[in-house]
Amino acid sequence: MAHVTEALWRPAEELLGRPAERCWQYPIGDQEMQMVVSSTRGQRRLHDVTLFIFDEAGRLALIRKHHYPPGAWRAPGGGIHPGESFIEGACREALEETGLQVQLTGYVLRIYVTFTCGERIQPWTTHVVTARAVGGTLQPRDSREIEAVRWGTVEELAGPVAEVMLATGRGLFAYRVALHREVGKLLS
C-alpha cells in the first residue's frame, strides 16, 4: 500500500489549490521498467513530487542526473518519505537536488500515469508543485544523484531540452517532456 494517499496530499491541496488532473499511459523500455519497479520496493513509493522552482527573475531551476545525455535537463523532484508531510517532503527534495530553500506557491498538476512494458504495468502518480526560491545556493546537496543544477526556462524545457530527451527514444524521458509541456500550458 502506497503511503502518499489523499490523506497526505489533501492538506497541501487545501493550502496551495486544487491541481488539474490527468490520466496518461506511457510505454517504457525494459530497463526503465526495472528502475521504476525497483524504486517502489521497500518504500512503497508509487509517486514523485516534481517542483517548478522559480527565482525572482522568473528563471526555473533545472537538474541534470549523471546518466542523462548532454543537453538533457528536467525539473527537480523526488519522493515523500514515510512520516513526512507532503510540503515537508517537497521542500526537502528541493533542498537536496538544488540547494535551494523554497516556499511552495501552488499545486498545479496531478498525473495518474500507467507505465507499460509489454504485459507489465506500473501505476505511478506525479504531483507537480510550483515554488519560489527563498534562500540557499544553486548547488545540489545530493551529488550522488544530481550531477548539476542551473537556471533555465519553461520554454527551454519544452523546446531544445525536449528535443534532446525525445531523441533518446526513452519512454521516461518522453513522459517528462509531456509533463514539462503540460505544466508550461497550465502556467501560461
Side-chain angles (χ1 to χ4, degrees):
M1 178 67 128
H3 69 277
V4 176
T5 62
E6 182 175 350
L8 190 69
W9 51 254
R10 180 67 69 198
E13 186 176 281
E14 290 171 2
L15 180 67
L16 301 169
R18 184 172 174 83
E21 292 186 336
R22 305 288 184 266
C23 292
W24 293 350
Q25 182 170 313
Y26 267 82
I28 60 176
D30 187 58
Q31 287 183 323
E32 292 175 303
M33 181 62 86
Q34 289 176 29
M35 183 183 73
V36 172
V37 169
S38 72
S39 74
T40 68
R41 294 194 180 118
Q43 299 178 29
R44 301 175 301 166
R45 181 177 166 205
L46 298 172
H47 75 281
D48 71 275
V49 176
T50 296
L51 297 114
F52 277 65
I53 304 167
F54 296 93
D55 69 359
E56 290 179 5
R59 297 178 302 174
L60 176 66
L62 301 176
I63 62 157
R64 178 178 157 68
K65 296 191 177 194
H66 295 282
H67 64 278
Y68 283 14
W73 296 83
R74 62 167 275 197
I80 306 295
H81 293 166
E84 284 182 318
S85 75
F86 185 93
I87 291 172
E88 289 168 339
C91 292
R92 176 191 45 75
E93 281 292 345
L95 186 61
E96 287 176 5
E97 294 200 356
T98 68
L100 299 172
Q101 297 163 340
V102 300
Q103 178 181 16
L104 301 186
T105 57
Y107 189 171
V108 296
L109 181 61
R110 185 169 37 246
I111 302 173
Y112 300 101
V113 62
T114 301
F115 294 118
T116 63
C117 181
E119 298 294 315
R120 294 180 292 167
I121 63 168
Q122 180 62 59
W124 193 265
T125 304
T126 296
H127 306 267
V128 181
V129 296
T130 54
R132 66 182 176 92
V134 294
T137 303
L138 193 65
Q139 181 174 340
R141 290 198 175 180
D142 183 356
S143 58
R144 285 187 338 242
E145 181 183 3
I146 307 302
E147 180 179 46
V149 61
R150 69 175 177 85
W151 293 112
T153 66
V154 174
E155 294 78 20
E156 182 182 1
L157 277 181
V161 170
E163 291 172 19
V164 168
M165 293 174 84
L166 291 173
T168 68
R170 295 181 194 169
L172 290 176
F173 277 170
Y175 171 66
R176 283 289 154 187
V177 167
L179 182 153
H180 293 153
R181 287 177 171 167
E182 187 68 16
V183 172
K185 286 187 235 172
L186 291 169
L187 294 179
S188 62

